[in-house]
Amino acid sequence: MTSEATPVDRMHTNNIGCGEGERRTGPETVMGSYLRPTSMPEALAALAAGPRIVLAGGTDYYPTRVGRPPEDDLLDITAIGALSGIVESDAGWRIGAAASWTDVIEAPLPPLFDGLKAAAREVGGVQIQNTGTIAGNLCNASPAADGIPNLLALDATVHLASAGGERAVPIAGFVLGNRRTARRGDEMVTAITIPRPRNPARSVFLKLGGRRYLVISIVMVGAVAEFAEDGTIATARLAVGACSAAAVRLPALEAALAGKRPDGALVTEAHLAPLAPIDDVRAPAAYRRDAALTLLRRAVEALR
């Protein structure tokens, strides 16, 4: 294999973090190995050989390990050219597993992607947007992941590969709960695909947090609508995040909007039945439910 390994590959240390004149004693810390393959076969062979943490931007992985060396075996996929970029075809769009939030912001995409672009601008600061990836946000599977409601509303499909073959999983079947996905240990996400809508479409993304920037969501809504020639909604897809263990779509609301012109008054509390908000440090469950209702009404109005 031509993968790159850092000089600290499998290094041992027992002095990490010691101040001047100090020496920490105790069990040695084993730093995991680091591989940076340049092709898919190399990457998949490495995953087949044993479990590895797959990294693109690493913006979720490294901050949780500040002050201590990473003990996991890492697989950095940023040198695999086939995983980069956003490509359009007759069938739709392909977002590579190494495509960043900035790639989405700067790509010449139609109004169908306005919601995803809006979410991309909400993910951390510019440095995070330049480095973090849409696929990484998806695989991290946080209930408050900004990209997931939009991908649900876009009816996305997740493509995975292993040494044994490839498979495609609808986005709703990929994220299984808080930090849980359908990805096996020997698999990696290669791309996310978005189907081309049958009708003119537009999308929106709304997010509520404790402040305007650099904030974890209290509630967020991703919405996509396709429009008939008379201006009524032919098809609607709406998803709410941060109000359940995983973002969920609202099928009853989607059905209620079909054939109608966008009107926030069409959204009722009954449409929130699939949500299961919790009390936490950011907001109580009752507040989240009330805020979700307000954001959904605003999102439907914005689809005009």
Side-chain angles (χ1 to χ4, degrees):
M1 294 175 67
T2 60
S3 303
E4 303 172 10
T6 64
V8 297
D9 188 41
R10 288 299 180 191
M11 283 183 62
H12 294 66
T13 178
N14 60 4
N15 287 323
I16 298 293
C18 292
E20 184 177 353
E22 297 177 322
R23 181 176 182 82
R24 181 175 297 166
T25 59
E28 291 183 334
T29 299
V30 179
M31 296 180 68
S33 66
Y34 171 85
L35 297 178
R36 191 170 186 257
T38 57
S39 71
M40 282 298 299
E42 292 178 71
L44 298 181
L47 289 175
R52 286 184 175 273
I53 301 295
V54 181
L55 291 181
T59 55
D60 282 310
Y61 178 82
Y62 288 114
T64 63
R65 292 160 176 81
V66 172
R68 61 185 177 92
E71 300 173 12
D72 304 299
D73 293 324
L74 305 179
L75 182 69
D76 183 343
I77 64 172
T78 55
I80 304 175
L83 300 180
S84 63
I86 300 172
V87 179
E88 181 179 0
S89 68
D90 290 341
W93 294 263
R94 175 190 180 277
I95 301 174
S100 70
W101 294 106
T102 297
D103 290 334
V104 170
I105 293 169
E106 296 180 347
L109 297 169
L112 174 67
F113 289 89
D114 285 353
L116 189 61
K117 282 178 174 280
R121 295 184 178 94
E122 295 279 357
V123 177
V126 173
Q127 298 94 330
I128 298 297
Q129 294 165 16
N130 288 343
T131 306
T133 64
I134 294 82
N137 186 253
L138 176 62
C139 291
N140 192 49
S142 165
D146 289 315
I148 297 179
N150 300 281
L151 294 175
L152 281 167
L154 289 167
D155 204 22
T157 297
V158 183
H159 297 263
L160 302 110
S162 69
E166 301 178 358
R167 66 183 179 123
V169 180
I171 184 72
F174 182 77
V175 179
L176 304 179
N178 184 6
R179 311 289 181 176
R180 296 190 300 114
T181 73
R183 186 182 71 87
R184 301 194 306 263
D186 65 339
E187 290 181 314
M188 60 179 286
V189 173
T190 58
I192 300 164
T193 56
I194 313 296
R196 187 177 296 278
R198 296 181 179 180
N199 305 286
R202 65 175 64 108
S203 67
V204 299
F205 173 72
L206 298 177
K207 171 178 175 175
L208 174 66
R211 57 182 184 268
R212 181 63 185 87
Y213 296 106
L214 303 174
V215 62
I216 298 174
S217 299
I218 294 173
V219 179
M220 53 188 163
V221 172
V224 170
E226 299 181 32
F227 290 88
E229 292 184 0
D230 63 359
T232 60
I233 296 174
T235 303
R237 294 182 295 274
L238 297 96
V240 177
C243 286
S244 304
V248 295
R249 279 181 49 182
L250 304 178
L253 175 56
E254 295 171 0
L257 294 175
K260 309 287 198 321
R261 295 184 183 276
D263 184 352
L266 295 170
V267 185
T268 69
E269 290 188 14
H271 294 136
L272 306 184
L275 305 183
I278 62 170
D279 297 323
D280 66 10
V281 295
R282 288 190 292 279
Y287 178 81
R288 276 194 161 94
R289 184 174 292 276
D290 184 66
L293 181 63
T294 298
L295 288 191
L296 283 165
R297 287 173 172 166
R298 291 177 181 175
V300 172
E301 292 286 345
L303 287 171
R304 292 181 180 179

